[in-house]
Amino acid sequence: MKGVQEYYDKTAAEWAAEGYGDEAYLPCLDEFLSLLPPGGRVLDLCCGAGYETGRIRARGFEALGLDFSGGSLSIARARNPDIPFFQGDMLGDYSQVGMVDGILLSAGLVHVETARLPLAFEQMAKVARPGGWVLASIREGRGKLAEWSLREIDGEQYDRNFIAHTPDEVVRAAEGLFSYCRELPTDMPIWRQLLFRREGA
């Protein structure tokens, strides 16, 4: 059984085709960016093939991306040669990217076990400036969703370990580092867009 990173290496081209083909891929992106300083520095965390990273850059911000899938990053770099992309794990130390005004975390938490959510926020706190913003998209629910996790591709089995979370679980995980502000509207009912602000402003 192959894991999450191998799954995204295998399917990088498919995700790129979907993400680059839908201009409204994350409808609340503009609302999130409106909170940041003009031209501010924004990390697209778990950026995949870089489609949202490119949209951030196109809106006049200094964009950068981080992902653990080398296959996805090769597409991101080819499509966005003016954007720096880093390979790394969102649960590891990626402070080498430097400080940022905002972090877009579009669906990255769906691969994080509930018990490890605090670690995800601890790592984000290392790079988020005081008063900086985080937009985290979560799949609403509780625990691992087998029907979303297990995939067969070209005769091989993959487990992408797809985890649903309740908003309360995520808000509790951020406590002491990020203050929960509000939920941004979306037309995707099973997804929740949670807005946080780095404490210490």
Side-chain angles (χ1 to χ4, degrees):
M1 180 78 71
K2 296 190 174 184
V4 182
Q5 185 172 345
E6 293 164 311
Y7 169 80
Y8 283 106
D9 284 340
K10 179 73 173 180
T11 60
E14 297 170 33
W15 287 102
E18 180 179 354
Y20 283 104
D22 184 357
E23 184 54 36
Y25 200 75
L26 187 62
C28 56
L29 178 62
D30 286 324
E31 184 173 353
F32 169 64
L33 293 176
S34 73
L35 301 168
L36 308 182
R41 200 160 188 261
V42 185
L43 172 62
D44 185 4
L45 185 57
C46 304
C47 64
Y51 32 85
E52 297 294 3
T53 331
R55 292 187 180 107
I56 292 168
R57 177 69 182 86
R59 285 157 170 78
F61 291 84
E62 182 186 348
L64 58 152
L66 182 136
D67 202 273
F68 66 178
S69 166
S72 298
L73 289 175
S74 66
I75 296 174
R77 290 171 177 140
R79 295 291 295 260
N80 306 278
D82 60 335
I83 295 176
F85 288 95
F86 301 84
Q87 187 163 10
D89 188 331
M90 69 171 296
L91 296 179
D93 183 356
Y94 48 88
S95 56
Q96 74 275 10
V97 306
M99 302 301 288
V100 298
D101 300 295
I103 299 174
L104 176 67
L105 181 53
S106 179
L109 293 179
V110 300
H111 303 302
V112 178
E113 302 283 349
T114 303
R116 305 195 80 191
L117 287 174
L119 176 58
F121 281 98
E122 287 170 18
Q123 300 300 350
M124 284 188 278
K126 293 179 181 178
V127 300
R129 291 191 175 104
W133 298 88
V134 171
L135 179 61
S137 307
I138 64 167
R139 166 63 163 86
E140 187 172 22
R142 192 180 293 276
K144 183 170 180 175
L145 303 180
E147 67 274 21
W148 287 53
S149 296
L150 304 178
R151 295 286 187 271
E152 181 177 330
I153 306 172
D154 296 336
E156 293 185 293
Q157 301 292 326
Y158 293 81
D159 183 355
R160 61 177 185 154
N161 197 39
F162 195 100
I163 311 293
H165 301 290
T166 67
D168 284 346
E169 288 173 339
V170 180
V171 170
R172 282 197 302 271
E175 286 178 353
L177 297 170
F178 294 87
S179 299
Y180 174 65
C181 298
R182 65 180 187 274
E183 185 171 348
L184 298 190
T186 176
D187 57 1
M188 300 179 289
I190 60 174
W191 292 89
R192 308 287 291 273
Q193 310 289 340
L194 307 181
L195 182 67
F196 296 86
R197 195 168 196 190
R198 180 74 170 100
E199 295 181 0

